Amino acid sequence: MPSPGYLPQYVSLFVVGILAYRGDWARRLPGRAGPVGLVMALVALVVMAVGMAGPLDEAALTPGSWQALVQILVESFFTLGVILALLVSFRRFVNRSGCLWRFLSDNAFAVYVLHAVVLVGLGLALSGWEAAAVTKFAALSALAVPLCWASAALIRTIPGVRKVL
């Protein structure tokens, strides 16, 4: 479940998503927002890398410290930059129709809602497996992506759920 420190960010992004849908921001977003978002994300990534190796290292874990505030702000700029870059990139390069894209589009919100449960469940299932972190990440990803989409499609077959998810 979301940690309390990130809850304001999650709620605000959810509200912004609703406003974006209603205002058709995905279509109206200028193309130059993509490269700007990419640069913003890369700068934030560099700041995070430098910060974790230096002044933000341990103190960033202390709630209420200025380091924790800086970390949250940098992560927010990273998130916003990635969102802008992905929106413009997908609009330009992946704006197609077809059975697969229809399936992904129809089930995307349900995946968003259900993915945490799937990831936690798979994480627990793999917790006894001794392997390198990158290997476990790859295995978890390979299992989680299709399982999230299959779970979403299956749950959406329940009468009335399709209207909500």
Side-chain angles (χ1 to χ4, degrees):
M1 298 310 296
S3 61
Y6 289 103
L7 204 54
Q9 182 184 42
Y10 297 152
V11 170
S12 63
L13 284 173
F14 187 79
V15 170
V16 168
I18 292 170
L19 295 173
Y21 174 77
R22 290 184 178 172
D24 198 25
W25 294 1
R27 195 177 332 269
R28 295 176 40 207
L29 187 68
R32 69 181 175 274
V36 169
L38 181 61
V39 168
M40 186 170 30
L42 291 174
V43 168
L45 193 61
V46 168
V47 170
M48 283 190 283
V50 170
M52 288 301 133
L56 300 180
D57 190 19
E58 291 295 321
L61 301 175
T62 307
S65 67
W66 69 267
Q67 293 94 335
L69 176 63
V70 169
Q71 180 182 352
I72 290 169
L73 287 173
V74 171
E75 287 176 3
S76 295
F77 277 103
F78 174 77
T79 303
L80 180 60
V82 169
I83 289 169
L84 289 173
L86 286 176
L87 276 173
V88 172
S89 296
F90 271 71
R91 182 181 66 195
R92 182 170 179 189
F93 300 112
V94 192
N95 191 10
R96 295 178 175 82
S97 60
C99 293
L100 176 63
W101 298 113
R102 168 62 81 187
F103 173 80
L104 295 174
S105 176
D106 289 347
N107 293 292
F109 183 68
V111 168
Y112 167 73
V113 171
L114 299 170
H115 80 279
V117 175
V118 172
L119 289 174
V120 169
L122 285 173
L124 287 172
L126 296 176
S127 65
W129 181 30
E130 295 295 328
V134 70
T135 304
K136 288 176 98 172
F137 171 77
L140 181 79
S141 299
L143 294 170
V145 171
L147 189 56
C148 282
W149 291 100
S151 299
L154 182 65
I155 288 173
R156 290 185 75 237
T157 62
I158 298 170
V161 172
R162 188 175 294 264
K163 290 180 182 179
V164 180
L165 295 179

